[in-house]
Amino acid sequence: MPPKDPHRQMEKLRKQVLGCRECPLHQQRNMAVFGEGPYESQIMVIGEGPGAKEDELGRPFVGRAGRLLDEMLEEQDLSRDRNVFIANIVKCRPPKNRVPHKKEIETCFPYLEEQISLVDPSFMILLGATAMKAYWGSLKEKVGDVRGRWITEGHRHIMPTYHPAAVFRNRSYRQYIEEDLKTIAGKYRELVGG
Ligand code: URA
């Protein structure tokens, strides 16, 4: 068998996601949001799902929370242009930005699993409770209880932190996210260099 080509597989997956009709969320979407960033990124950021701006443009984290995320990543010399792949738990916008339902998450999750397997990042950042709970199944802890802590799965270092949108409700969360991103960037440079 010829060796697998992650780029080709990712492009195939992207097409699949853009045309997906597996759950009712596709009915109201303008665009499915696949994710973006270099496919060989060693860091993957996982959010909840597209909002209005993301749905309009077909790109993840391009609204207010996205600008804040970009700013905080850039403080650590990280960005979706260079070294971070950004994806979401669900690829289509839930109406009125509600939290995605369990069934929608379950239906969409295999796309994220394949993205994780193709990008194969050494670091994963889970933004907020939905990403955290969806990734680990049911989880009783709150983000505040586990943020900033490493969870190691095989060669992968995973850290939950607050969702950047939480900063608009409580400004003090910004410093926690910044602290966590600093920790992640430090370990990333230690292990991967760059
Ligand atoms: N919030 C998310 O969780 N994901 C996005 O893509 C945008 C906002």
Side-chain angles (χ1 to χ4, degrees):
M1 258 213 306
K4 287 190 174 171
D5 177 347
H7 276 257
R8 264 183 61 187
Q9 285 178 281
M10 238 0 198
E11 284 313 311
K12 199 170 149 209
L13 184 63
R14 176 195 293 278
K15 283 194 192 117
Q16 225 179 312
V17 166
L18 297 189
C20 179
R21 289 160 170 256
E22 293 288 327
C23 90
L25 289 184
H26 84 271
Q27 288 162 2
Q28 293 177 55
R29 76 173 176 225
N30 283 304
M31 292 182 82
V33 177
F34 180 67
E36 69 184 22
Y39 292 165
E40 53 286 332
S41 296
Q42 285 299 314
I43 301 176
M44 189 155 168
V45 168
I46 300 174
E48 177 176 309
K53 202 77 190 160
E54 291 78 18
D55 173 74
E56 182 192 328
L57 300 176
R59 299 177 56 208
F61 281 98
V62 285
R64 195 170 167 224
R67 285 195 295 280
L68 177 58
L69 175 65
D70 282 340
E71 198 182 312
M72 290 188 289
L73 287 171
E74 202 56 67
E75 286 169 6
Q76 305 305 328
D77 201 17
L78 301 174
S79 90
R80 64 178 90 191
D81 296 332
R82 302 189 299 279
N83 40 26
V84 178
F85 188 86
I86 302 182
N88 279 307
I89 295 290
V90 294
K91 311 304 191 206
C92 295
R93 182 192 183 200
K96 299 188 182 146
N97 296 349
R98 65 161 167 76
V99 173
H101 295 154
K102 191 163 178 269
K103 190 83 183 60
E104 293 157 356
I105 292 175
E106 281 169 7
T107 307
C108 211
F109 202 71
Y111 291 135
L112 180 65
E113 281 182 312
E114 198 169 340
Q115 286 177 310
I116 295 171
S117 132
L118 291 170
V119 174
D120 195 20
S122 300
F123 297 90
M124 274 183 7
I125 307 168
L126 302 174
L127 297 178
T130 303
M132 200 175 92
K133 286 185 183 155
Y135 186 78
W136 280 300
S138 68
L139 195 78
K140 285 184 207 76
E141 283 91 344
K142 296 199 165 115
V143 179
D145 299 331
V146 288
R147 63 143 280 268
R149 291 206 220 147
W150 289 114
I151 292 111
T152 304
E153 285 180 358
H155 69 290
R156 209 159 274 146
H157 306 283
I158 307 170
M159 189 181 285
T161 192
Y162 291 110
H163 192 289
V167 174
F168 304 125
R169 294 191 295 276
N170 184 339
R171 292 268 147 202
S172 71
Y173 286 163
R174 178 170 180 150
Q175 94 187 57
Y176 296 122
I177 304 175
E178 285 176 331
E179 224 174 77
D180 296 342
L181 292 178
K182 189 170 178 192
T183 305
I184 293 157
K187 198 169 171 91
Y188 162 69
R189 301 231 145 75
E190 204 181 285
L191 288 186
V192 180

